[in-house]
Amino acid sequence: MRYIFALLCMIGLASCDDPAGTLKIGGKDFSESSILSEMMAILAEDAGIAVTRRINLGSTLVNLESLKRGDIDVYAEYNGTGLVMLGQPAMTDGDAATERVRSLYQPLGLVWGKRFGFDNNYGLAMRAGRAQELGVESISDLVSIASDLTIGIEENFQSRPLDGFGPMTARYGMSFGNVSVVSADARPQLYDTLLAGDTDVIEVFTTDGQIADLDLVLLDDDLNFFPVYQAAPLVRADALVKFPQLQGLFDQLAGKLDAETMQRLNSQVDQDALSPREVARAALAEMGLIDESDGLQIAEPIIIAHSPFVAADTETGRALRAVREAYPGRRVLLQEQSDPLAALASGDMPIALVTAVEFADLGANNLPETRPFEGVGVVGQAYLHVIGLGDTRRFSDIETLVTGPEGSASHRAGMILAAGNSGITLSPQSDLTTGDAALVLAPIGSSIVQDLLENGRLLSVTGWDQGDNLVRYPQLRQARIPEGSYDGQNTAIETLSSQMVLAGPVVENTDAVGPQGPGASAPTDVAALSNTTVLAISNALRSDIGLDPALPGAAALTPALPAPPAAVNPSPFTSVLTAIVFLLFGWLIWLYARPERR
């Protein structure tokens, strides 16, 4: 019995989660921390050390306390956070901060390793077009206009006493007109609000993958307000004794990870839905620190094609957000095409951001011929901007009208204008400053239009309701550019507008079974959007405006019709059955009412 009891004890010890020879690695509950923890775990395993992963363990406090108790042996920490956790003020000098935390944590039996090489500080970011429109490059540039702007922040940043929102605005001497606060769990929503135009500026971490993905501008912290946060391994001293090779393994990562690299790795987890482990393994192989024959398998991104000039920040942001919701776990990118619907027809891209005029080709007698595409959701409105250059003061003075390249939205709108004005010659080219006037079809507030107005003026387009223009060209509708839409614009400008939509290939009726059911398939070599995808995009756009009646719409967006009334003349079987029921009721009534027999 003694031998059996000893054997059972040995089996029990062998089945424990944390045998004596196992390195326990923790980590915080966000992607970057998980990636760094996986890198350390993979390097240890590659060196023959058994590893127990406690990645995504929780907050800074949870990880630090677990490290002190010995529940974990190491996790990735930031020197700025290390100072704050011991009640010390954070620093803007990374070297000084590292030396300080090393001296403070040594008495606790904790050792700071060499830094990985990147800073992940707080920062402020804006859409590129919005920053250019306002002339903002640094945080100080916001001071004079902050009262007219909305900033989006996370609640933890709002409450931080030393390097949070209140101290930041006090240091820079500014006050924002509106502050939108989200919870820590909802932090990714800050990017959604920025894309939707609900906020002008948002608080970010400087290694967020969305900064590069969305081509955002990271504002320069020109007063060096934000403390430095540089990541490094934080290890128990007894773990370094137990595993003597551990320090050398982690030192291999010293200086190997810069901010751009971490943005890319974070994006692969957050946007491409890859696991931190496979992202970390691929990165280590790329750095030559482990042998890995298989590369990282990343799904091809979803490309949204768009016409030149037409893609303003708010509209492209709304389109990006909607398509990302419809394709979860896939990277979504924008790509300029002179004729985006032609790119769609080739099968190279599944979806396009276009205007209503791009749905039609001018054929015989200058009448539009419908192209085989359909709208799946309304994004916004594009306005016809005709900018007189040089001595051109009136629309009637135009002889040469410069548009974008052939096939673009601006060029197609120019073709329609020229069809009703025989004296206008179109000049399709990218340089818009070479003719009597330039035509830009874009949302109000276009930075391209604003640049052209430095040496030009907006011209009114009037008389469109005369003749049969409204019938011949329903893709262009009368509109007005409000006063003050551009610097120096003192009056409202009469013009035309065209609805902006997300579009996909039209579904043709065939005998095949396609993504929208039997009898529906896409044109050859073109992938049709499924009903589920169409509805997901439409719902994500959250637009109260319906698709322009001049445009063909996706079948999934067709309103459900009420059920037709029942047929007046039912089938013969139903008629006979009804007659039998009436006879049965009549017989029962007779039985009840007949005289009682005596």
Side-chain angles (χ1 to χ4, degrees):
M1 290 298 295
R2 288 197 298 269
Y3 290 125
I4 293 174
F5 179 73
L7 179 62
L8 291 175
C9 290
M10 292 175 64
I11 293 174
L13 289 173
S15 64
C16 288
D17 289 338
D18 301 323
T22 298
L23 178 69
K24 296 162 288 185
I25 298 182
K28 302 185 189 183
D29 49 1
F30 59 93
S31 299
E32 182 170 284
S33 182
S34 298
I35 294 169
L36 296 175
S37 294
E38 285 290 356
M39 284 185 173
M40 293 188 289
I42 293 168
L43 287 176
E45 288 174 332
D46 197 57
I49 300 174
V51 172
T52 295
R53 286 173 169 81
R54 292 183 172 175
I55 296 172
N56 204 30
L57 184 60
S59 66
T60 297
L61 183 61
V62 171
N63 277 271
L64 186 56
E65 289 302 314
S66 297
L67 192 67
K68 292 177 181 178
R69 292 198 307 261
D71 296 336
I72 59 175
D73 296 312
V74 59
Y75 77 101
E77 187 54 278
Y78 302 87
N79 51 13
T81 304
L83 289 171
V84 172
M85 293 304 293
L86 294 187
Q88 301 292 308
M91 302 178 178
T92 57
D93 185 325
D95 294 337
T98 299
E99 289 303 316
R100 182 63 174 151
V101 292
R102 282 177 176 166
S103 63
L104 290 172
Y105 280 75
Q106 185 178 6
L108 303 177
L110 305 178
V111 178
W112 285 82
K114 293 183 179 179
R115 288 164 286 177
F116 296 122
F118 67 90
D119 295 7
N120 185 5
N121 305 335
Y122 280 111
L124 299 183
M126 299 180 68
R127 302 187 309 274
R130 183 63 167 155
Q132 182 181 3
E133 175 190 342
L134 298 175
V136 175
E137 296 180 355
S138 66
I139 298 179
S140 288
D141 292 335
L142 293 173
V143 173
S144 61
I145 57 175
S147 59
D148 298 323
L149 304 180
T150 296
I151 186 171
I153 60 175
E154 181 230 324
E155 60 185 3
N156 288 345
F157 181 65
Q158 183 185 36
S159 61
R160 293 177 74 92
L162 300 178
D163 57 355
F165 180 68
M168 179 198 71
T169 54
R171 176 67 182 93
Y172 276 94
M174 60 184 174
S175 176
F176 285 91
N178 189 33
V179 180
S180 175
V181 183
V182 302
S183 65
D185 293 338
R187 186 172 172 273
Q189 292 180 7
L190 290 175
Y191 289 97
D192 292 336
T193 64
L194 191 67
L195 291 177
D198 298 331
T199 55
D200 302 288
V201 188
I202 60 169
E203 159 244 328
V204 299
F205 293 142
T206 54
T207 57
D208 284 349
Q210 295 95 324
I211 294 173
D213 285 347
L214 304 177
D215 193 27
L216 303 181
V217 173
L218 190 61
L219 303 186
D220 179 32
D221 180 17
D222 50 317
L223 295 184
N224 295 318
F225 166 76
F226 290 118
V228 68
Y229 290 88
Q230 298 170 331
L234 181 56
V235 197
R236 286 180 60 87
D238 57 6
L240 295 176
V241 174
K242 187 187 303 182
F243 306 103
Q245 72 272 49
L246 200 60
Q247 188 69 66
L249 291 175
F250 293 163
D251 284 351
Q252 295 180 83
L253 291 171
K256 293 290 181 65
L257 302 171
D258 57 21
E260 290 73 20
T261 299
M262 282 314 304
Q263 284 183 1
R264 174 171 59 86
L265 300 183
N266 288 334
S267 179
Q268 289 172 354
V269 174
D270 295 331
Q271 306 302 325
D272 296 324
L274 299 178
S275 72
R277 185 173 302 184
E278 59 185 326
V279 169
R281 181 169 291 278
L284 291 174
E286 186 179 315
M287 291 184 283
L289 299 181
I290 62 171
D291 294 328
E292 185 75 18
S293 56
D294 297 331
L296 191 60
Q297 300 298 316
I298 300 178
E300 287 294 321
I302 303 295
I303 304 294
I304 304 176
H306 68 87
S307 200
F309 314 141
V310 79
D313 270 359
T314 301
E315 284 69 25
T316 54
R318 189 175 295 128
L320 274 170
R321 186 191 63 210
V323 177
R324 285 187 177 197
E325 289 190 27
Y327 290 91
R330 295 287 296 276
R331 187 186 301 269
V332 181
L333 304 174
L334 288 162
Q335 189 174 111
E336 184 176 297
Q337 296 283 326
S338 59
D339 188 346
L341 290 183
L344 205 64
S346 68
D348 295 335
M349 301 172 188
I351 196 165
L353 174 60
V354 296
T355 61
V357 296
E358 295 173 78
F359 277 82
D361 274 329
L362 287 186
N365 301 320
N366 290 323
L367 292 176
E369 297 177 354
T370 303
R371 306 170 78 189
F373 304 98
E374 58 190 15
V376 298
V378 179
V379 176
Q381 202 78 7
Y383 290 76
L384 205 68
H385 298 81
V386 180
I387 302 101
L389 305 173
D391 296 330
T392 306
R393 302 282 173 177
R394 295 180 300 276
F395 187 82
S396 58
D397 296 335
I398 299 175
E399 295 182 0
T400 302
L401 182 61
V402 182
T403 67
E406 289 192 26
S408 67
S410 294
H411 180 67
R412 291 181 182 277
M415 291 174 65
I416 293 177
L417 282 184
N421 297 270
S422 57
I424 294 180
T425 301
L426 295 185
S427 177
Q429 52 184 296
S430 299
D431 185 359
L432 300 178
T433 62
T434 58
D436 300 322
L439 187 152
V440 177
L441 185 61
I444 290 177
S446 165
S447 59
I448 297 171
V449 173
Q450 186 63 67
D451 290 342
L452 289 169
L453 288 176
E454 291 182 5
N455 298 302
R457 62 207 58 82
L458 282 172
L459 305 181
S460 293
V461 180
T462 58
W464 190 250
D465 55 344
Q466 299 175 9
D468 58 357
N469 287 332
L470 298 177
V471 177
R472 289 165 63 92
Y473 311 115
Q475 297 84 5
L476 284 176
R477 303 186 182 277
Q478 292 176 292
R480 179 177 291 176
I481 301 174
E483 175 185 348
S485 298
Y486 298 95
D487 294 342
Q489 180 201 344
N490 299 321
T491 60
I493 302 295
E494 293 293 331
T495 187
L496 306 172
S497 71
S498 184
Q499 196 172 63
M500 292 180 66
V501 301
L502 284 168
V506 72
V507 176
E508 298 176 344
N509 292 325
T510 69
D511 294 331
V513 178
Q516 295 181 352
S521 71
T524 306
D525 298 328
V526 179
L529 299 175
S530 68
N531 281 345
T532 302
T533 301
V534 170
L535 291 174
I537 291 174
S538 179
N539 292 335
L541 286 172
R542 303 179 184 93
S543 176
D544 296 329
I545 303 174
L547 204 65
D548 192 311
L551 303 181
L557 302 180
T558 304
L561 298 176
V568 176
N569 298 315
S571 65
F573 173 77
T574 303
S575 300
V576 172
L577 185 61
T578 303
I580 292 173
V581 170
F582 275 110
L583 289 174
L584 180 61
F585 271 109
W587 180 63
L588 291 173
I589 292 172
W590 179 79
L591 288 176
Y592 179 78
R594 67 178 181 169
E596 182 179 355
R597 294 184 179 182
R598 299 184 180 276

